[in-house]
Amino acid sequence: LQYDKVAAANPTPVDAVLPHAYDIYGAAVEGKAVCEGYAKAFQYLCDLTDFSGDIECHTVSGYMTGGTGAGAHMWNVVTMDDDNNYLVDVTNCDTGTIGEPDLLFLAGCAGGNVQNGYTYYCEDRGNIVFVYDSITRRMLGDAALAMADSQYVGTPGGVTVSGSITSYNDGAAQV
């Protein structure tokens, strides 16, 4: 999957040139998307997965500073089996980004709050700040958006994952 810099520079999708940069198809099939496509693809994978615990994923929007660039952004908030919420920003975990390879995957914050945003420290690469937009805050509420203050480490036997992914290649199903 590659970050679509052309689509990111053009905030209005151009159907003839960039028809899927903002959706799951662009991320999963075409291999090129902006943050919205990355976040929706991650949400889709979570929705398809059978977790053995009370794990929930939300796709959220707002803006960020640092990372792939300052401005509007979409990412995911995942509530894990320890009842804490963690940031997942698969866009900024991609090759060549501030969070590569997994610094912003099930990440805990260095400080902040729901109203003013959360800061994440990416080792010697610097900080990145995520701020929710008003629609996200209104739809999900503070409890679903309040972030853990440390990286998710898991609990022994706490989470198992199962499920299957079917891919279609020339009409023949493969599992």
Side-chain angles (χ1 to χ4, degrees):
L1 180 59
Q2 294 179 353
Y3 186 73
D4 194 332
K5 293 178 183 176
V6 173
N10 181 1
T12 304
V14 181
D15 289 340
V17 180
L18 312 165
H20 298 290
Y22 296 83
D23 61 32
I24 297 167
Y25 188 85
V29 177
E30 294 179 345
K32 204 166 189 181
V34 296
C35 59
E36 185 173 346
Y38 277 72
K40 287 178 177 177
F42 183 80
Q43 176 77 53
Y44 181 68
L45 292 174
C46 286
D47 291 348
L48 289 177
T49 304
D50 296 324
F51 294 104
S52 69
D54 193 19
I55 296 173
E56 191 172 353
C57 179
H58 296 285
T59 300
V60 298
S61 59
Y63 67 92
M64 67 170 194
T65 60
T68 54
H73 191 55
M74 287 185 93
W75 62 97
N76 303 91
V77 172
V78 179
T79 306
M80 294 300 293
D81 59 328
D82 63 359
D83 293 324
N84 288 310
N85 302 320
Y86 298 91
L87 174 125
V88 173
D89 184 357
V90 289
T91 307
N92 282 297
C93 283
D94 206 350
T95 304
T97 64
I98 191 169
E100 176 188 3
D102 60 0
L103 296 176
L104 296 169
F105 189 84
L106 295 177
C109 69
N113 59 54
V114 172
Q115 290 74 28
N116 298 314
Y118 289 98
T119 301
Y120 293 82
Y121 180 66
C122 294
E123 296 177 349
D124 61 344
R125 301 173 199 170
N127 295 336
I128 187 167
V129 177
F130 296 87
V131 180
Y132 302 114
D133 61 25
S134 61
I135 294 170
T136 295
R137 289 196 321 267
R138 200 168 40 252
M139 287 182 64
L140 296 176
D142 287 1
L145 299 172
M147 303 306 290
D149 59 5
S150 61
Q151 185 86 12
Y152 178 73
V153 293
T155 54
V159 177
T160 57
V161 178
S162 63
S164 62
I165 297 176
T166 302
S167 68
Y168 296 89
N169 186 3
D170 298 323
Q174 299 175 345
V175 178

